[in-house]
Amino acid sequence: MALRRWRNAAAAAVLAGSAILPAAAPAQAPAYTPGAANLAARAWFAQARFGIFLHWGLYSELAGGGDRDGAEWIMENKKISAAHYERLAEFFDPRRFDANQWVDTVKAAGARYIVITSKHHDGFAMYGSKVSPYNVVDATPFRRDPIAELAAACRAKGVKLFFYYSQLDWHHPDYFPRGRTGRHSGRAESGDWEAYLRYQDAQLTELLTRYGPIGGIWFDGWWDQQKTAMRDRWRLERTYALIHRLQPGALIVNNHHVTPFPGEDYQVFERDLPGQNSSGFNDAAVSALPLEMADAMNGSWGFNLVDDRFKTPRELIATLAGAAGRGANFLLNTGPMPDGRLQPENVAALRTVGDWLGRNGESIYATSAGPIAPQPWGVTTRRGDRVYVHLLADPGTRLRLPIRGVRAARRLDGGAPITLARDGDAVVLGDLGWTAASADQVIVLELGAG
């Protein structure tokens, strides 16, 4: 598809699609007060604890281009023009995609929800959009809507589906002025910002009205304009009000790395556990909203042919427990391959995580952060009158914990008793038997009169 033809079609599509939006949507919407459906969704989310992220798009075909980083950013990193990048759609034909297999893999891993890229920064819609011809149904030989198939499989198998949506767009002619990225796309140095926002909201309307109840919208790309005059012209209030009106139970999160804005329902930390900032861009304070930590299996979000830096199942389990110990979910990413299959290495690792959760899941699901802050040896989680001690590193021969009212201690996996002694207002655990082979040795502390 020629870039000029895309521009003409896109302009017509926005005008045609604007009828599905409020005729005169106000720039400022009333302050958001979460309703019963939203609060119930937040409560569910805070108990789910484990989700799978899927970065899949035209960029998957290029598989990182021989670089180990930034597979899904290849259009930007390799300075590929929009006109050249469009040609990838001609070759995208993932005939081995099977939505049911994907969801079965996710369930076997013990994950409770999926977040999939409906549109990434490259602007390509991975669903059958009617407001943009630049989509997987109309522009590729695949001619199928994988989002529709995945939504049906998720409904049938009891997995919630969230849609990642990039506010940033390297392809759309009206995404202007440029932010810090997208300066090599070959597009005209002009555009209509308000028209782009109408286009964005029209696509969001499609996602919220055509695929049944969804878990929520996972935004990314706000940061592209963070240091420009457009920072405060995203009209987030209007967009968020649209989402909450169309699906009151759909949650909103925005990967903007700043304090959550009104209308957002949980807070995400990219490649960092809440409260840490090893990446350098997660310096926002931890809010009172439900929390999530997102990370990739390796160094890339999209499929990367040469990136073999896969985290071991032990590392993944430690991160899952570390997130739960901080009151957060773990959103673990895998980049599906161009043919539609999940990477075999990732499937094997997920199976191991699922096996561990099958034995230790009660220490993760529906828990809150435990009474002891994260320590060098691990974390604690809590559910009711049980505290779970997650030993992620060698605690030594004895472990003193400032917890009162402990009446019994045992291993969660197998039930073997743990030696228990009291020391003032603390309890001392002995004979821990920790071994380096254990990904996370969980000890259950039973609280109450005994």
Side-chain angles (χ1 to χ4, degrees):
M1 169 191 316
L3 183 57
R4 180 174 297 176
R5 183 151 51 92
W6 146 252
R7 287 174 175 165
N8 293 338
V14 169
L15 291 174
S18 63
I20 61 180
L21 297 175
Q28 298 291 327
Y32 173 61
T33 300
N38 184 274
L39 293 173
R42 290 186 188 188
W44 174 89
F45 182 83
Q47 295 183 352
R49 286 294 175 251
F50 189 29
I52 297 298
F53 214 172
L54 298 166
H55 275 69
W56 195 41
L58 297 185
Y59 46 82
S60 305
E61 295 180 87
L62 298 181
D67 296 334
R68 291 206 305 172
D69 295 301
E72 72 290 346
W73 273 60
I74 194 165
M75 180 180 172
E76 170 76 1
N77 293 347
K78 296 293 187 181
K79 301 179 180 180
I80 302 173
S81 71
H84 286 123
Y85 192 87
E86 286 175 4
R87 292 206 63 191
L88 289 174
E90 300 175 22
F91 319 124
F92 191 75
D93 195 13
R95 296 300 180 121
R96 300 184 71 176
F97 167 69
D98 185 327
N100 287 302
Q101 284 187 356
W102 280 19
V103 179
D104 286 343
T105 297
V106 167
K107 290 198 70 171
R112 301 292 173 83
Y113 62 101
I114 290 172
V115 181
I116 188 168
T117 48
S118 66
K119 186 198 81 165
H120 207 269
H121 309 327
D122 61 0
F124 187 76
M126 285 296 290
Y127 70 98
S129 175
K130 299 302 182 185
V131 298
S132 168
Y134 196 47
N135 72 78
V136 68
V137 175
D138 295 322
T140 78
F142 189 50
R143 300 293 179 191
R144 288 161 51 189
D145 187 335
I147 295 292
E149 296 176 28
L150 189 61
C154 284
R155 278 195 303 272
K157 299 175 184 291
V159 174
K160 282 191 181 289
L161 181 62
F162 290 65
F163 295 139
Y164 169 109
Y165 188 89
S166 173
Q167 295 168 289
L168 163 62
D169 196 311
W170 295 325
H171 183 272
H172 197 285
D174 281 323
Y175 185 85
F176 185 84
R178 308 280 181 263
R180 75 185 205 208
T181 66
R183 297 177 177 272
H184 309 287
S185 64
R187 295 177 294 159
E189 290 300 309
S190 62
D192 184 335
W193 181 259
E194 290 298 328
Y196 175 71
L197 292 184
R198 291 194 297 272
Y199 168 83
Q200 167 199 267
D201 286 358
Q203 285 202 321
L204 290 168
T205 298
E206 292 180 319
L207 292 168
L208 289 156
T209 58
R210 290 171 44 188
Y211 300 101
I214 64 168
I217 301 293
W218 207 101
F219 282 112
D220 195 12
W222 176 94
W223 40 260
D224 188 59
Q225 300 284 356
Q226 184 172 3
K227 297 182 179 180
T228 78
M230 311 309 290
R231 171 192 169 108
D232 298 319
R233 291 189 57 191
W234 279 109
R235 302 290 191 266
L236 294 180
E237 301 92 345
R238 182 177 69 188
T239 297
Y240 291 176
L242 170 72
I243 295 168
H244 284 132
R245 177 174 61 82
L246 292 176
Q247 289 208 32
L251 301 175
I252 295 173
V253 68
N254 199 318
N255 187 38
H256 44 46
H257 312 136
V258 298
T259 302
F261 294 116
E264 294 170 8
D265 299 304
Y266 65 97
Q267 183 179 13
V268 64
F269 296 83
E270 181 181 348
R271 294 191 185 275
D272 268 318
L273 292 167
Q276 298 181 351
N277 190 20
S278 60
S279 64
F281 49 70
N282 284 309
D283 54 358
V286 178
S287 74
L289 293 173
L291 306 174
E292 178 182 74
M293 181 265 199
D295 202 358
M297 286 272 196
N298 51 2
S300 305
W301 298 97
F303 173 63
N304 192 309
L305 191 65
V306 299
D307 186 358
D308 295 327
R309 297 168 293 176
F310 296 115
K311 298 175 179 66
T312 65
R314 177 188 179 89
E315 291 173 311
L316 298 177
I317 291 167
T319 303
L320 174 62
R326 292 166 174 82
N329 291 4
F330 181 29
L331 180 62
L332 175 60
N333 179 80
T334 178
M337 297 185 291
D339 66 358
R341 291 178 299 148
L342 300 177
Q343 297 182 57
E345 303 93 334
N346 294 176
V347 172
L350 289 172
R351 187 179 302 117
T352 301
V353 174
D355 290 343
W356 183 88
L357 279 168
R359 301 187 303 274
N360 297 279
E362 76 169 70
S363 69
I364 300 292
Y365 302 123
T367 62
S368 60
I372 299 175
Q375 301 292 322
W377 48 259
V379 298
T380 60
T381 56
R382 181 166 186 168
R383 182 197 289 186
D385 60 359
R386 290 182 176 179
V387 171
Y388 302 91
V389 180
H390 297 259
L391 300 180
L392 305 175
D394 189 354
T397 56
R398 299 167 71 250
L399 184 62
R400 186 179 187 275
L401 302 173
I403 302 177
R404 302 179 62 181
V406 178
R407 61 181 177 82
R410 59 179 173 83
R411 299 184 195 278
L412 179 56
D413 186 1
I418 296 292
T419 301
L420 181 66
R422 290 172 179 79
D423 182 9
D425 290 336
V427 65
V428 179
L429 307 180
D431 300 324
L432 298 174
W434 186 88
T435 65
S438 174
D440 176 8
Q441 180 176 305
V442 184
I443 295 172
V444 185
L445 306 182
E446 304 281 355
L447 307 183

